[in-house]
Amino acid sequence: MDLKLFLLRVSRLKWLIILLTVLAILISFLLVKNLPKKYESVAQISTGLLDPSKKVISNETVDFFAVNQQFANLVEKFTMKRMVNLLTYKLIIHDLGDQKNAFKHLPESLSSKSSTELKKISSLFERKLVANALLTLDDDKGAVKLFSIAEDMGYGEEKMRDGLEVSHAANSDLLLVSFTSENPALSAFTVNTLSTEFISSYSNDVSLNQNSSAKILDSMLLSKKNTMDAKNKLLSDFKRTKGVLNLDEQSATVYNQISQYEAQRAEAMRVIQSNAGGVATIESKLQGSDRYVNGSSKANNREIVELKRQLQVANNLYIDGGFKPAMQKKIDSLNRLVNIKSAANVDENVIDTRVSKQDLVQQKVGLEVSLQQARSSIRTLDGQLRILRERYKSMVPFDADIQNYQRDAELATKDYMLALDRFNTAKTDQKLGLNLEIEQVGLPGNPKPTKKALYIAGAGTGTFALCLGFVFLLVVVDSSIRNQHSLEAVTESVVIGNVNEIAGTERIARNIWSDKSAGGKYPVFMEQIRSLRFEIASQMEKSESKILGITSLASGAGKTFLSHSLAYAFALTGKKVLLIADEQLQTLSTEKGLITNLSFQNFLIKKEFHTEDLITVMNKSVERNSLLEIQNVSNLRDGFEVLKKEFDYVIIDVNSLREVNISKEWLLFTEQNIALFEYGAKVNEADRPLMRYIREQPGFMGWVFNKVNDVK
């Protein structure tokens, strides 16, 4: 449904909404006018949960989540059935025992009883109070119906809960207990009695629960201690019998010693390898041909000796040969060779080889001594390593057993410590737990501000909402179109006229238009037809059009009857009118000189017609055949041109828009169009494209609201 259409429908019911709202406010005012005054009394109870002055440990961290839970538990326990029943007993005993100062008048069921009977009833309630018993429907099974008496006196559980409110003042240490009633003394008595009874009951319950918990925790603590002692004794016995004081530390010590001896052995092996290599190097130098150690080579000395021998032989030959010059050259040559070899030998023996050999020998002796020491230490280290490895190996079998004993002992000790902590906490809570006290007793007060205005406003608002809901339901459920504004909204087009529905079966135009009586049924209808005739004539004269098409959204909207009525109305103004319409069982008139009946199909074939009368009616085919199947478009246009020359107006009763194939063909030849909508009809989604189609036609003038029986 369109929003605009919805708002239009709602606006029609605005006076109904206003009337209902005013009526509801008036009724509410009459109802709340004599409401009794209400008196509220409030008692304040401190808990010590958030008050540092009441804490032994002033710097204790506050767990606000846990504290909020405690406050919530206190509030719930305040309003438990047991506490409300205790309050009921107290109030009933008070009123029955002191009727002069009673908070409420005795009901008829009790006022007729004697004082003895009232004392008996009071004693029964006192027994339930002492026994701290609940008040249930089973209490009505005896001779005295206690449950019904409490309800009759106005002290029943539901009645007491209605006026009672228990809350935690935000971010404070206080609980607020308030009660509202018609008697200020009753309100004060209720909050003070309930607070006192709750503190007493809660303290007893807490003490009983804490003592029970302490006994359970003490028994559990003793059991945990015995288990811990047994596990520790097993561990101690195992260590004593196996000679193990601390297996972990002992094994770690032995392992460290093994690591140290292995490091010493590795160092000794390095020294052996190093010294052995040094001794081998020194021996190779002493036995080799190193010139720094052994001096010149023997080959050079032999060459010098050989050259000197040759020189001696040459000298002898020189002397024996008579000092021949040739021999002298040989002697000189040998002397030069001896000098060269001798000089070379002197350069090679600059270092004293004896000193070098002595140093090497001393180094060799030192290395050999160190080498022997290292080899001796290897044997000692190997022996120590064997002893330590055997000792470490002997500890391995005990490792798994001692770990089991230690684990059991640790778990038993941990359980005992947890139990001890819980026990100590419980003892501390028992001594330093909640300490409920009444900080401020409830006092009788002034009456509470009246809420009459709120009740009236609430009633008005509620009624207004109900009216809106009712109107919304009516509008949504009823989707029919019943006024001109709604039709314009849904069709998005103007409405050029409204035509009332004709009561009865009269469909002859002459009879309708000839009714001149003051109380006749047709004057309004005729005025509406005249108004519609004026609108159509104005538009057609402005556009110089003569062919008017009358269609409707659905069949049965009354377009054929309206077409005949418009034709009669135009004829009354002296216009020659041609009406192309469906055949009717009743003729429009029998008066001569007014109507001639022809067939539109015959005209299309023969192009002949008679125009002796003001109105000429051409009946369409009963079979509703396609117009284009009778003649082509060109011949049809020629035919309509002939008709336009002969008649002032040509009115065509076009088929409904839902007969799309036929109505579109007729609309091809109309110059101006109007569409009928039946009063109270509904529009579905399939009709919207049809309304858009007729709205987009060039000569569309608007809609006519037909068969209206409630013109607005």
Side-chain angles (χ1 to χ4, degrees):
M1 181 181 296
D2 295 337
L3 178 61
K4 184 177 180 181
L5 178 59
F6 175 79
L7 295 176
L8 286 172
R9 290 181 176 177
V10 171
S11 64
R12 297 184 62 198
L13 302 175
K14 60 183 178 181
W15 293 112
L16 175 61
I17 297 173
I18 295 173
L19 178 62
L20 291 176
T21 304
V22 172
L23 181 61
I25 294 174
L26 179 61
I27 294 173
S28 301
F29 176 77
L30 294 176
L31 290 176
V32 303
K33 181 179 180 181
N34 297 321
L35 283 177
K37 295 181 179 180
K38 296 291 184 179
Y39 298 88
E40 182 183 29
S41 183
V42 180
Q44 296 179 340
I45 300 177
S46 64
T47 62
L49 293 173
L50 294 175
D51 189 355
S53 64
K54 296 183 179 181
K55 291 183 178 292
V56 176
I57 305 174
S58 59
N59 60 348
E60 180 182 358
T61 303
V62 178
D63 186 352
F64 285 98
F65 179 76
V67 169
N68 287 333
Q69 283 188 325
Q70 288 181 286
F71 276 116
N73 291 335
L74 290 174
V75 170
E76 289 299 322
K77 289 182 178 180
F78 242 110
T79 56
M80 289 175 61
K81 180 178 178 62
R82 179 164 59 91
M83 296 305 304
V84 177
N85 288 162
L86 289 177
L87 180 60
T88 299
Y89 301 152
K90 288 277 189 177
L91 291 170
I92 293 175
I93 293 171
H94 174 273
D95 285 3
L96 294 180
D98 187 5
Q99 297 184 22
K100 292 182 179 180
N101 298 319
F103 300 127
K104 293 184 178 181
H105 297 291
L106 293 181
E108 295 181 1
S109 59
L110 295 178
S111 60
S112 60
K113 295 183 180 295
S114 64
S115 59
T116 304
E117 290 175 328
L118 292 178
K119 288 181 179 179
K120 181 181 178 180
I121 294 173
S122 179
S123 64
L124 292 175
F125 278 107
E126 287 178 355
R127 292 178 186 176
K128 294 187 74 67
L129 175 62
V130 172
N132 198 13
L134 298 179
L135 184 64
T136 63
L137 289 173
D138 293 335
D139 294 308
D140 278 356
K141 295 180 180 179
V144 180
K145 302 182 183 302
L146 299 181
F147 186 87
S148 298
I149 290 174
E151 294 292 332
D152 293 342
M153 294 184 68
Y155 296 139
E157 182 178 346
E158 294 299 326
K159 184 67 175 178
M160 299 305 297
R161 289 183 186 275
D162 290 341
L164 180 63
E165 182 179 358
V166 181
S167 62
H168 169 223
N171 300 324
S172 73
D173 187 56
L174 301 176
L175 283 176
L176 303 181
V177 184
S178 65
F179 188 79
T180 304
S181 69
E182 300 172 7
N183 188 335
L186 172 61
S187 298
F189 180 86
T190 299
V191 295
N192 293 330
T193 301
L194 181 61
S195 300
T196 303
E197 290 295 328
F198 176 79
I199 292 175
S200 176
S201 175
Y202 184 79
S203 299
N204 292 334
D205 291 343
V206 169
S207 178
L208 179 62
N209 293 334
Q210 287 179 344
N211 290 333
S212 300
S213 300
K215 292 180 181 179
I216 295 173
L217 290 174
D218 184 61
S219 175
M220 183 179 65
L221 182 64
L222 181 60
S223 175
K224 296 292 184 182
K225 184 178 184 303
N226 293 335
T227 302
M228 178 187 68
D229 293 340
K231 295 296 183 181
N232 287 328
K233 187 175 182 304
L234 289 175
L235 177 62
S236 178
D237 292 343
F238 179 81
K239 289 182 177 181
R240 186 172 55 254
T241 55
K242 300 300 181 180
V244 179
L245 296 178
N246 192 325
L247 184 62
D248 292 337
E249 292 183 1
Q250 290 177 349
S251 60
T253 301
V254 173
Y255 185 79
N256 290 335
Q257 291 177 352
I258 291 174
S259 299
Q260 292 175 2
Y261 281 121
E262 285 181 345
Q264 293 176 8
R265 188 179 185 283
E267 179 64 22
M269 291 298 298
R270 187 189 64 78
V271 171
I272 290 173
Q273 293 176 358
S274 176
N275 292 344
V279 171
T281 302
I282 291 173
E283 288 180 350
S284 65
K285 286 183 175 293
L286 292 175
Q287 296 175 2
S289 57
D290 192 343
R291 60 189 179 90
Y292 296 109
V293 177
N294 297 319
S296 302
S297 65
K298 294 180 180 181
N300 290 336
N301 292 332
R302 285 195 296 269
E303 288 181 357
I304 293 173
V305 172
E306 179 63 24
L307 288 174
K308 287 182 176 181
R309 186 187 64 78
Q310 291 179 5
L311 180 60
Q312 184 63 36
V313 172
N315 285 329
N316 292 333
L317 291 176
Y318 177 70
I319 295 172
D320 293 338
F323 301 101
K324 293 181 179 180
M327 189 57 68
Q328 183 64 40
K329 292 180 180 180
K330 184 176 181 180
I331 292 172
D332 293 338
S333 177
L334 289 173
N335 284 329
R336 286 195 297 273
L337 290 174
V338 170
N339 292 332
I340 292 172
K341 292 294 184 181
S342 298
N345 195 18
V346 171
D347 293 337
E348 292 176 357
N349 291 280
V350 173
I351 299 174
D352 189 352
T353 57
R354 291 176 297 176
V355 176
S356 299
K357 285 183 178 182
Q358 184 177 359
D359 291 340
L360 289 176
V361 171
Q362 290 178 353
Q363 291 179 9
K364 178 182 177 184
V365 172
L367 291 174
E368 287 176 347
V369 172
S370 178
L371 178 62
Q372 188 60 35
Q373 290 176 345
R375 286 173 178 171
S376 299
S377 65
I378 286 293
R379 289 190 294 270
T380 303
L381 292 172
D382 288 341
Q384 291 295 329
L385 285 172
R386 282 193 300 270
I387 294 172
L388 291 173
R389 288 192 177 106
E390 290 295 331
R391 185 182 302 173
Y392 187 79
K393 186 176 181 181
S394 64
M395 295 180 182
V396 172
F398 302 136
D399 184 61
D401 294 334
I402 201 168
Q403 284 185 2
N404 292 333
Y405 286 117
Q406 287 177 342
R407 182 175 60 253
D408 293 342
E410 289 175 358
L411 291 176
T413 303
K414 185 179 295 185
D415 288 344
Y416 171 76
M417 296 305 296
L418 290 175
L420 180 61
D421 184 62
R422 292 179 61 185
F423 180 79
N424 293 332
T425 302
K427 284 293 185 180
T428 304
D429 292 341
Q430 188 173 2
K431 295 179 181 179
L432 307 175
L434 285 178
N435 185 18
L436 300 178
E437 296 179 354
I438 298 179
E439 292 287 337
Q440 175 64 56
V441 297
L443 300 173
N446 295 324
K448 297 178 64 176
T450 180
K451 295 183 178 180
K452 295 180 180 179
L454 293 178
Y455 293 149
I456 296 173
T461 303
T463 305
F464 182 72
L466 289 176
C467 291
L468 283 182
F470 178 70
V471 170
F472 179 79
L473 182 63
L474 288 179
V475 171
V476 171
V477 172
D478 184 13
S479 59
S480 58
I481 307 300
R482 298 184 181 276
N483 60 80
Q484 178 176 332
H485 299 295
S486 300
L487 180 59
E488 290 178 342
V490 74
T491 60
E492 299 180 9
S493 304
V494 298
V495 175
I496 62 174
N498 296 283
V499 179
N500 279 5
E501 184 177 17
I502 298 298
T505 58
E506 182 62 69
R507 291 296 182 269
I508 300 176
R510 177 176 56 81
N511 296 337
I512 293 175
W513 286 86
S514 62
D515 186 5
K516 305 296 184 181
S517 60
K521 300 181 292 184
Y522 308 123
V524 175
F525 174 78
M526 289 186 292
E527 292 300 324
Q528 292 171 339
I529 294 296
R530 289 188 181 101
S531 175
L532 182 60
R533 180 186 64 190
F534 176 79
E535 294 292 337
I536 295 173
S538 299
Q539 293 290 336
M540 297 189 72
E541 289 177 3
K542 186 184 298 184
S543 61
E544 297 181 354
S545 304
K546 289 188 176 184
I547 302 177
L548 173 67
I550 302 177
T551 184
S552 62
L553 182 64
S555 59
K559 59 180 176 59
T560 301
F561 175 68
L562 184 65
S563 300
H564 285 80
S565 298
L566 280 175
Y568 195 93
F570 277 111
L572 291 177
T573 61
K575 302 293 184 180
K576 294 180 63 178
V577 181
L578 171 64
L579 175 62
I580 303 175
D582 291 331
E583 295 182 9
Q584 284 189 317
L585 296 178
Q586 295 178 325
T587 58
L588 192 63
S589 176
T590 58
E591 183 178 352
K592 186 178 179 182
L594 193 63
I595 297 174
T596 301
N597 288 308
L598 300 173
S599 171
F600 183 68
Q601 283 76 6
N602 293 334
F603 163 72
L604 292 176
I605 297 172
K606 299 179 180 181
K607 296 294 190 301
E608 295 179 358
F609 55 88
H610 302 284
T611 59
E612 299 175 358
D613 305 316
L614 292 177
I615 298 178
T616 301
V617 178
M618 289 187 178
N619 296 320
K620 296 193 296 184
S621 174
V622 179
E623 292 80 7
R624 296 175 180 268
N625 294 329
S626 170
L627 188 62
L628 299 181
E629 293 177 359
I630 299 174
Q631 293 288 338
N632 57 40
V633 175
S634 178
N635 290 337
L636 288 170
R637 292 191 185 281
D638 292 341
F640 278 109
E641 289 297 327
V642 173
L643 295 176
K644 286 171 62 178
K645 294 177 181 179
E646 184 65 27
F647 295 98
D648 296 318
Y649 294 105
V650 177
I651 300 176
I652 301 177
D653 177 14
V654 181
N655 299 65
S656 67
L657 293 173
R658 290 180 181 175
E659 299 179 63
V660 181
N661 57 328
I662 300 177
S663 60
K664 285 187 176 182
E665 293 178 358
W666 282 102
L667 292 175
L668 286 174
F669 306 103
T670 60
E671 296 174 335
Q672 298 289 326
N673 301 297
I674 61 172
L676 270 65
F677 191 92
E678 183 179 1
Y679 175 86
K682 298 180 180 180
V683 177
N684 53 45
E685 291 299 322
D687 294 331
R688 295 186 182 277
L690 302 178
M691 293 187 295
R692 183 170 58 252
Y693 172 77
I694 191 63
R695 184 173 67 246
E696 293 174 354
Q697 293 298 312
F700 181 65
M701 289 186 284
W703 289 81
V704 176
F705 209 15
N706 198 25
K707 296 185 180 181
V708 178
N709 54 28
D710 184 20
V711 180
K712 298 291 182 181

